[in-house]
Amino acid sequence: MSGKQKKSYHHGDLRNSLIDAAIALLRAKGPNVFSMRELAKLAGVSHAAPYRHFEDKNAIFNTIAENGFQLLTERLEQVVSEYPHNPQQQLLEAGVSYVDLATENPEITQLMFGGFIQTDSCSERLQQSADTAFNGLLSIIKKGQEAGIYQRQDTMSLALAAWSMMHGLAMLVTGGQLTREISTRKQVMDTVRLVENILLNGMLK
């Protein structure tokens, strides 16, 4: 271990360094072949060092996913703050933020929604952060209903429809399924807004 790495460890940076290295390893190899030994090697620490902060790879997966949901919550809060009296614009920009976050961080999104963290392995902190993010979407829709903008049907159903459409679009983009139609970030964002307007207006004449 280099002197610089030792200094980082003694200053309490090992945990964050491990998280950064884990994200890089996920980006390079994916969660299926992720190993704590490779993580330690990439972080430049001993094989035992990661276990000072994470019991196993599932623990670090939980932490990365939790951070992802916290970032999503922050982006939703920012949208609400930017458009405090416009629930329709809030929902549109929430969708843009969701797809933008997913395409910027596909390896984190994979842990958040890809089924690699099983229900019985999901930490309480991760579940809480996921619930908080989804409640942000529910709040936007509920306020829109109260303002008479959205239909007065079950709020959860409306949120599920919005989330499903944006998540599906995000997965198509990150999976490279739309590369012929979408090649730039601007095209992605334009497509998100187009799809969201279809959602809001419906497909019936």
Side-chain angles (χ1 to χ4, degrees):
M1 183 186 296
S2 70
K4 183 178 179 180
Q5 288 166 333
K6 287 181 180 178
K7 182 178 180 181
S8 292
Y9 171 76
H10 287 304
H11 279 77
D13 292 336
L14 178 59
R15 187 176 187 277
N16 288 329
S17 295
L18 288 169
I19 291 173
D20 290 341
I23 292 172
L25 188 58
L26 286 167
R27 186 178 299 120
K29 296 193 172 184
N32 287 323
V33 294
F34 184 100
S35 74
M36 296 293 278
R37 180 175 289 270
E38 281 195 87
L39 171 61
K41 182 178 179 181
L42 185 60
V45 297
S46 70
H47 292 158
Y51 294 98
R52 298 174 186 267
H53 294 278
F54 302 101
E55 181 181 359
D56 51 26
K57 71 176 184 179
N58 185 70
I60 198 166
F61 284 179
N62 268 263
T63 299
I64 293 172
E66 179 189 340
N67 291 345
F69 280 114
Q70 289 174 347
L71 181 57
L72 178 58
T73 296
E74 290 171 6
R75 293 199 179 190
L76 292 179
E77 291 173 346
Q78 182 179 353
V79 163
V80 172
S81 176
E82 289 178 355
Y83 305 96
H85 306 298
N86 192 336
Q88 182 172 341
Q89 195 65 36
Q90 287 176 10
L91 185 59
L92 287 169
E93 296 305 321
V96 170
S97 294
Y98 184 95
V99 176
D100 199 28
L101 179 63
T103 53
E104 284 178 356
N105 307 278
E107 60 285 336
I108 298 177
T109 304
Q110 194 174 30
L111 291 185
M112 293 166 67
F113 302 108
F116 291 97
I117 301 175
Q118 301 300 318
T119 302
D120 57 357
S121 301
C122 180
S123 69
E124 183 176 348
R125 287 174 59 92
L126 173 55
Q127 186 60 60
Q128 289 176 345
S129 63
D131 290 344
T132 299
F134 187 68
N135 286 336
L137 175 60
L138 281 174
S139 177
I140 289 174
I141 293 176
K142 185 175 182 180
K143 289 178 181 177
Q145 288 177 311
E146 293 171 351
I149 296 174
Y150 303 134
Q151 298 175 13
R152 280 284 186 178
Q153 59 175 290
D154 180 54
T155 306
M156 181 69 75
S157 298
L158 295 180
L160 181 59
W163 179 32
S164 298
M165 184 169 282
M166 288 304 99
H167 182 70
L169 181 57
M171 294 303 98
L172 288 172
V173 174
T174 57
Q177 303 301 312
L178 301 177
T179 52
R180 285 183 293 182
E181 296 84 359
I182 301 175
S183 59
T184 67
R185 182 177 180 277
K186 182 180 183 303
Q187 287 177 324
V188 171
M189 297 302 102
D190 288 345
T191 301
V192 171
R193 290 188 169 90
L194 173 64
V195 170
E196 285 189 304
N197 276 303
I198 292 174
L199 171 68
L200 288 173
N201 296 321
M203 294 178 64
L204 297 178
K205 296 177 67 174

